[in-house]
Amino acid sequence: MQKIVLTLFCFLFSTNLFCQAENTNKIEIIDFIDNDDIKDTLVQLDSTIEITTKRRKYKFKIEINEVFGTSIGINKKGSIYTITSGTGMGRVENYNLFDYDENVSNWVYTKSIEIFYNFDYGIEPLYFEYTYNDSPFVSIMGEEIEYNLEKPKAQTITAILDKVKKNKNVELEILEYIYNYAINPQNLIIYNDIAYYLKESAIGLLILEDIIKKFPNRIVAYLNLADNYYSLGNELKAKKNYLIYIKLMKEQNKDLTRIPDYVYERLKE
Protein backbone atom coordinates (compact mmCIF):
# COMPACT_ATOMS: atom_id res chain seq x y z
CA MET A 1 0.00 0.00 0.00
CA GLN A 2 1.31 3.44 -0.90
CA LYS A 3 0.35 6.74 0.69
CA ILE A 4 -1.09 9.35 -1.60
CA VAL A 5 -2.79 12.70 -1.54
CA LEU A 6 -4.92 13.04 -4.59
CA THR A 7 -7.57 15.21 -6.13
CA LEU A 8 -9.35 13.71 -9.16
CA PHE A 9 -11.96 15.68 -11.10
CA CYS A 10 -13.87 12.91 -12.82
CA PHE A 11 -14.94 13.66 -16.40
CA LEU A 12 -13.77 17.28 -16.36
CA PHE A 13 -10.99 16.65 -18.87
CA SER A 14 -9.60 19.56 -20.85
CA THR A 15 -9.09 17.29 -23.87
CA ASN A 16 -12.60 15.81 -23.84
CA LEU A 17 -15.88 17.23 -25.04
CA PHE A 18 -18.07 16.26 -22.10
CA CYS A 19 -21.82 16.69 -21.87
CA GLN A 20 -24.30 15.61 -19.24
CA ALA A 21 -27.90 16.53 -19.88
CA GLU A 22 -29.77 18.01 -16.91
CA ASN A 23 -32.29 15.80 -15.11
CA THR A 24 -31.16 12.69 -16.99
CA ASN A 25 -28.60 9.93 -16.48
CA LYS A 26 -27.16 10.44 -19.96
CA ILE A 27 -23.45 11.15 -20.40
CA GLU A 28 -21.81 11.84 -23.75
CA ILE A 29 -18.07 12.08 -24.39
CA ILE A 30 -16.38 12.86 -27.70
CA ASP A 31 -12.68 11.98 -27.66
CA PHE A 32 -10.01 9.54 -28.93
CA ILE A 33 -11.51 6.40 -27.45
CA ASP A 34 -9.64 3.80 -29.51
CA ASN A 35 -6.06 4.11 -30.79
CA ASP A 36 -6.52 5.97 -34.08
CA ASP A 37 -6.48 9.73 -34.60
CA ILE A 38 -10.20 10.07 -35.25
CA LYS A 39 -12.47 11.21 -32.46
CA ASP A 40 -15.09 8.74 -31.33
CA THR A 41 -18.31 9.04 -29.36
CA LEU A 42 -19.18 7.40 -26.06
CA VAL A 43 -22.70 7.61 -24.68
CA GLN A 44 -23.85 6.28 -21.32
CA LEU A 45 -27.53 5.99 -20.48
CA ASP A 46 -27.84 4.41 -17.05
CA SER A 47 -26.09 1.03 -17.36
CA THR A 48 -26.01 0.96 -21.18
CA ILE A 49 -22.89 2.11 -23.00
CA GLU A 50 -22.58 2.82 -26.73
CA ILE A 51 -19.20 3.55 -28.30
CA THR A 52 -19.12 4.60 -31.94
CA THR A 53 -15.77 4.49 -33.74
CA LYS A 54 -14.74 4.63 -37.39
CA ARG A 55 -14.58 0.82 -37.46
CA ARG A 56 -17.75 -0.22 -35.66
CA LYS A 57 -20.32 0.47 -32.98
CA TYR A 58 -20.07 -1.20 -29.58
CA LYS A 59 -23.01 -1.62 -27.22
CA PHE A 60 -22.75 -3.20 -23.81
CA LYS A 61 -23.81 -2.80 -20.18
CA ILE A 62 -21.80 -2.02 -17.07
CA GLU A 63 -22.60 -2.92 -13.50
CA ILE A 64 -24.01 0.05 -11.62
CA ASN A 65 -23.42 0.59 -7.91
CA GLU A 66 -26.92 1.01 -6.49
CA VAL A 67 -25.80 3.40 -3.75
CA PHE A 68 -23.29 5.71 -5.44
CA GLY A 69 -23.81 5.01 -9.13
CA THR A 70 -21.18 4.11 -11.71
CA SER A 71 -20.01 6.15 -14.70
CA ILE A 72 -17.61 5.68 -17.58
CA GLY A 73 -14.86 8.06 -18.67
CA ILE A 74 -11.65 8.49 -20.65
CA ASN A 75 -8.24 7.97 -19.05
CA LYS A 76 -6.17 8.71 -22.15
CA LYS A 77 -6.17 7.83 -25.84
CA GLY A 78 -7.14 4.16 -26.09
CA SER A 79 -7.89 3.81 -22.39
CA ILE A 80 -11.29 4.09 -20.70
CA TYR A 81 -12.50 3.41 -17.18
CA THR A 82 -15.55 2.90 -15.05
CA ILE A 83 -15.70 4.73 -11.74
CA THR A 84 -17.77 4.34 -8.61
CA SER A 85 -17.26 7.20 -6.18
CA GLY A 86 -18.65 7.73 -2.71
CA THR A 87 -19.50 11.11 -1.24
CA GLY A 88 -18.35 13.12 1.75
CA MET A 89 -14.99 13.87 3.33
CA GLY A 90 -13.83 10.27 3.48
CA ARG A 91 -14.97 9.01 0.14
CA VAL A 92 -13.47 6.17 -1.87
CA GLU A 93 -13.07 6.16 -5.64
CA ASN A 94 -12.93 2.80 -7.42
CA TYR A 95 -11.61 2.71 -10.99
CA ASN A 96 -11.58 -0.22 -13.41
CA LEU A 97 -9.38 0.55 -16.43
CA PHE A 98 -9.69 -0.92 -19.92
CA ASP A 99 -6.99 -0.58 -22.59
CA TYR A 100 -7.73 -0.84 -26.29
CA ASP A 101 -6.25 -3.88 -28.06
CA GLU A 102 -5.80 -3.56 -31.83
CA ASN A 103 -5.74 -7.35 -32.29
CA VAL A 104 -9.32 -7.81 -31.12
CA SER A 105 -10.62 -4.26 -31.66
CA ASN A 106 -11.83 -4.18 -28.09
CA TRP A 107 -11.03 -2.74 -24.66
CA VAL A 108 -9.42 -5.17 -22.22
CA TYR A 109 -9.80 -4.97 -18.43
CA THR A 110 -6.18 -4.50 -17.36
CA LYS A 111 -5.98 -2.76 -13.99
CA SER A 112 -7.89 -1.24 -11.10
CA ILE A 113 -7.26 1.61 -8.67
CA GLU A 114 -8.88 2.21 -5.31
CA ILE A 115 -8.34 5.69 -3.89
CA PHE A 116 -9.10 6.67 -0.31
CA TYR A 117 -9.08 10.36 0.54
CA ASN A 118 -10.53 13.22 2.56
CA PHE A 119 -10.37 16.99 2.26
CA ASP A 120 -7.75 17.67 4.91
CA TYR A 121 -4.87 17.56 2.40
CA GLY A 122 -2.18 15.94 4.49
CA ILE A 123 -3.58 16.03 8.02
CA GLU A 124 -4.62 12.47 7.32
CA PRO A 125 -2.62 11.39 4.25
CA LEU A 126 -4.59 9.68 1.53
CA TYR A 127 -3.54 6.48 -0.15
CA PHE A 128 -4.31 4.29 -3.10
CA GLU A 129 -4.16 0.61 -4.01
CA TYR A 130 -3.10 -0.25 -7.56
CA THR A 131 -3.72 -3.70 -9.05
CA TYR A 132 -2.64 -5.17 -12.39
CA ASN A 133 -4.84 -7.97 -13.66
CA ASP A 134 -3.55 -11.42 -14.56
CA SER A 135 -4.54 -13.72 -17.40
CA PRO A 136 -7.17 -14.64 -18.41
CA PHE A 137 -8.14 -11.14 -19.43
CA VAL A 138 -11.67 -10.12 -20.32
CA SER A 139 -13.03 -7.40 -22.58
CA ILE A 140 -15.27 -4.63 -21.35
CA MET A 141 -18.12 -6.75 -22.70
CA GLY A 142 -17.09 -9.79 -20.68
CA GLU A 143 -15.38 -11.85 -23.38
CA GLU A 144 -12.17 -13.74 -22.52
CA ILE A 145 -9.23 -12.35 -24.51
CA GLU A 146 -5.55 -13.18 -24.87
CA TYR A 147 -3.64 -10.03 -24.04
CA ASN A 148 -0.05 -8.93 -23.43
CA LEU A 149 -0.17 -6.41 -20.60
CA GLU A 150 2.43 -3.65 -20.93
CA LYS A 151 3.46 -1.49 -17.99
CA PRO A 152 4.81 2.05 -18.47
CA LYS A 153 8.49 2.38 -19.35
CA ALA A 154 10.75 4.60 -17.25
CA GLN A 155 11.03 7.25 -19.98
CA THR A 156 7.24 7.68 -19.98
CA ILE A 157 7.69 10.31 -17.29
CA THR A 158 8.85 12.80 -19.94
CA ALA A 159 5.58 12.46 -21.84
CA ILE A 160 3.65 12.82 -18.59
CA LEU A 161 5.45 16.09 -17.84
CA ASP A 162 4.65 17.38 -21.33
CA LYS A 163 0.94 16.65 -20.76
CA VAL A 164 1.00 18.32 -17.35
CA LYS A 165 2.55 21.44 -18.89
CA LYS A 166 -0.33 21.51 -21.37
CA ASN A 167 -2.81 21.31 -18.49
CA LYS A 168 -4.05 17.88 -19.52
CA ASN A 169 -5.63 15.58 -16.97
CA VAL A 170 -3.12 12.79 -16.34
CA GLU A 171 -3.76 11.89 -12.69
CA LEU A 172 -4.36 8.21 -13.41
CA GLU A 173 -1.23 8.01 -15.58
CA ILE A 174 0.79 9.62 -12.80
CA LEU A 175 -0.57 7.13 -10.28
CA GLU A 176 0.49 4.23 -12.45
CA TYR A 177 3.94 5.71 -12.92
CA ILE A 178 4.39 6.38 -9.20
CA TYR A 179 3.32 2.81 -8.47
CA ASN A 180 6.02 1.47 -10.80
CA TYR A 181 8.85 3.97 -10.27
CA ALA A 182 9.91 5.46 -6.95
CA ILE A 183 11.59 8.86 -6.78
CA ASN A 184 15.37 8.52 -7.08
CA PRO A 185 18.34 10.75 -7.98
CA GLN A 186 17.86 10.05 -11.70
CA ASN A 187 14.20 11.10 -11.93
CA LEU A 188 14.14 13.60 -9.03
CA ILE A 189 14.22 16.75 -11.16
CA ILE A 190 11.47 15.69 -13.54
CA TYR A 191 9.28 14.51 -10.64
CA ASN A 192 9.85 17.91 -9.03
CA ASP A 193 8.88 19.64 -12.29
CA ILE A 194 5.64 17.64 -12.47
CA ALA A 195 4.80 18.64 -8.91
CA TYR A 196 5.61 22.29 -9.68
CA TYR A 197 3.12 22.36 -12.55
CA LEU A 198 0.51 20.55 -10.47
CA LYS A 199 -0.06 23.55 -8.23
CA GLU A 200 -3.14 23.41 -6.03
CA SER A 201 -3.08 19.67 -6.53
CA ALA A 202 -3.11 16.92 -3.93
CA ILE A 203 -1.02 14.71 -6.19
CA GLY A 204 1.57 17.48 -6.29
CA LEU A 205 1.65 17.26 -2.50
CA LEU A 206 2.25 13.53 -2.70
CA ILE A 207 5.29 13.97 -4.94
CA LEU A 208 6.77 16.83 -2.94
CA GLU A 209 6.27 15.08 0.40
CA ASP A 210 8.11 12.06 -1.01
CA ILE A 211 10.90 14.27 -2.34
CA ILE A 212 11.61 15.95 1.00
CA LYS A 213 11.45 12.58 2.74
CA LYS A 214 14.14 11.15 0.47
CA PHE A 215 16.05 14.38 -0.18
CA PRO A 216 15.59 16.48 2.98
CA ASN A 217 18.05 19.18 1.88
CA ARG A 218 16.35 20.01 -1.40
CA ILE A 219 15.45 23.62 -0.61
CA VAL A 220 13.08 24.44 -3.47
CA ALA A 221 10.89 21.44 -2.66
CA TYR A 222 9.95 23.00 0.69
CA LEU A 223 8.94 26.25 -0.99
CA ASN A 224 6.85 24.43 -3.58
CA LEU A 225 5.30 22.23 -0.90
CA ALA A 226 4.44 25.21 1.29
CA ASP A 227 2.91 27.07 -1.67
CA ASN A 228 0.81 24.03 -2.50
CA TYR A 229 -0.43 23.60 1.05
CA TYR A 230 -1.26 27.29 1.24
CA SER A 231 -3.25 27.16 -2.00
CA LEU A 232 -5.23 24.21 -0.67
CA GLY A 233 -6.07 26.01 2.56
CA ASN A 234 -3.72 24.16 4.94
CA GLU A 235 -1.97 27.23 6.39
CA LEU A 236 -0.50 25.29 9.32
CA LYS A 237 1.52 22.97 7.10
CA ALA A 238 2.30 25.83 4.73
CA LYS A 239 3.93 27.86 7.52
CA LYS A 240 5.84 24.82 8.79
CA ASN A 241 7.42 24.28 5.36
CA TYR A 242 8.07 27.99 4.76
CA LEU A 243 10.09 28.05 8.00
CA ILE A 244 12.10 25.00 6.94
CA TYR A 245 12.71 26.62 3.57
CA ILE A 246 14.08 29.81 5.19
CA LYS A 247 16.18 27.79 7.64
CA LEU A 248 17.80 25.77 4.85
CA MET A 249 18.43 28.91 2.80
CA LYS A 250 20.39 30.33 5.73
CA GLU A 251 22.22 27.09 6.59
CA GLN A 252 23.36 26.61 3.00
CA ASN A 253 24.44 30.26 2.65
CA LYS A 254 21.99 30.98 -0.16
CA ASP A 255 21.08 34.46 -1.31
CA LEU A 256 18.29 35.41 1.10
CA THR A 257 17.07 38.18 -1.21
CA ARG A 258 15.75 35.39 -3.45
CA ILE A 259 13.17 34.44 -0.83
CA PRO A 260 9.82 35.67 -2.21
CA ASP A 261 8.20 38.50 -0.24
CA TYR A 262 4.95 36.57 0.02
CA VAL A 263 6.67 33.96 2.18
CA TYR A 264 7.19 36.48 5.01
CA GLU A 265 3.70 37.87 4.51
CA ARG A 266 2.10 34.46 4.84
CA LEU A 267 4.12 33.66 7.95
CA LYS A 268 2.59 36.74 9.63
CA GLU A 269 -0.99 35.64 8.94
Side-chain angles (χ1 to χ4, degrees):
M1 185 177 293
Q2 300 190 27
K3 298 291 182 182
I4 181 166
V5 179
L6 175 66
T7 300
L8 291 176
F9 299 95
C10 304
F11 306 119
L12 300 181
F13 295 103
S14 61
T15 56
N16 297 350
L17 176 58
F18 170 87
C19 307
Q20 183 167 6
E22 294 182 1
N23 302 320
T24 73
N25 293 318
K26 183 178 180 180
I27 293 174
E28 181 176 277
I29 301 173
I30 300 174
D31 204 341
F32 301 104
I33 301 174
D34 57 15
N35 284 342
D36 61 27
D37 294 321
I38 301 173
K39 287 193 174 183
D40 313 298
T41 302
L42 182 154
V43 177
Q44 175 182 356
L45 184 60
D46 297 319
S47 63
T48 301
I49 308 296
E50 287 190 1
I51 298 177
T52 303
T53 71
K54 178 183 178 181
R55 300 177 181 180
R56 57 177 286 197
K57 177 178 285 190
Y58 304 80
K59 187 173 183 179
F60 53 94
K61 290 185 178 294
I62 59 173
E63 185 176 349
I64 302 293
N65 184 291
E66 294 182 359
V67 178
F68 300 116
T70 302
S71 298
I72 195 164
I74 310 299
N75 175 31
K76 59 182 179 178
K77 182 177 180 180
S79 178
I80 61 180
Y81 61 78
T82 61
I83 174 176
T84 299
S85 176
T87 58
M89 294 186 69
R91 82 171 184 256
V92 180
E93 293 180 341
N94 294 282
Y95 290 83
N96 292 321
L97 284 87
F98 301 81
D99 294 323
Y100 190 75
D101 183 9
E102 293 282 357
N103 295 322
V104 295
S105 299
N106 212 326
W107 290 266
V108 182
Y109 179 33
T110 55
K111 63 206 77 163
S112 60
I113 313 172
E114 192 168 21
I115 303 163
F116 307 81
Y117 71 105
N118 55 55
F119 292 108
D120 289 329
Y121 295 114
I123 295 174
E124 295 182 18
L126 295 94
Y127 62 93
F128 73 94
E129 295 178 352
Y130 205 103
T131 304
Y132 282 107
N133 294 343
D134 296 321
S135 182
F137 291 94
V138 295
S139 74
I140 199 168
M141 290 176 276
E143 307 158 329
E144 286 197 3
I145 290 176
E146 291 186 8
Y147 184 71
N148 181 27
L149 178 61
E150 294 185 3
K151 298 180 181 181
K153 296 179 172 59
Q155 60 268 29
T156 306
I157 193 171
T158 303
I160 290 175
L161 176 59
D162 290 340
K163 292 179 183 179
V164 171
K165 287 180 177 179
K166 296 175 182 177
N167 200 32
K168 293 186 177 181
N169 190 301
V170 292
E171 279 87 352
L172 297 184
E173 288 186 67
I174 294 173
L175 281 183
E176 183 174 17
Y177 194 88
I178 290 173
Y179 178 77
N180 284 281
Y181 301 99
I183 295 173
N184 58 53
Q186 287 69 45
N187 61 28
L188 169 61
I189 293 177
I190 197 165
Y191 257 125
N192 190 92
D193 289 346
I194 289 173
Y196 172 79
Y197 283 100
L198 289 175
K199 295 176 180 178
E200 300 184 23
S201 162
I203 198 167
L205 292 182
L206 164 71
I207 295 171
L208 291 167
E209 286 280 15
D210 200 17
I211 287 175
I212 64 173
K213 180 180 179 181
K214 295 176 179 177
F215 303 90
N217 292 319
R218 186 171 178 81
I219 298 176
V220 68
Y222 290 97
L223 177 61
N224 293 336
L225 182 60
D227 287 346
N228 209 335
Y229 273 125
Y230 188 88
S231 297
L232 292 170
N234 194 331
E235 294 185 12
L236 184 63
K237 284 207 168 185
K239 290 180 179 180
K240 173 186 174 182
N241 285 283
Y242 282 136
L243 289 172
I244 297 173
Y245 163 66
I246 294 173
K247 178 175 178 288
L248 289 175
M249 287 285 286
K250 293 177 178 178
E251 289 179 350
Q252 297 185 28
N253 297 316
K254 301 296 184 181
D255 182 2
L256 300 184
T257 63
R258 297 181 62 185
I259 297 176
D261 292 338
Y262 69 80
V263 171
Y264 297 109
E265 294 171 2
R266 291 175 180 179
L267 285 171
K268 294 176 183 178
E269 295 178 359

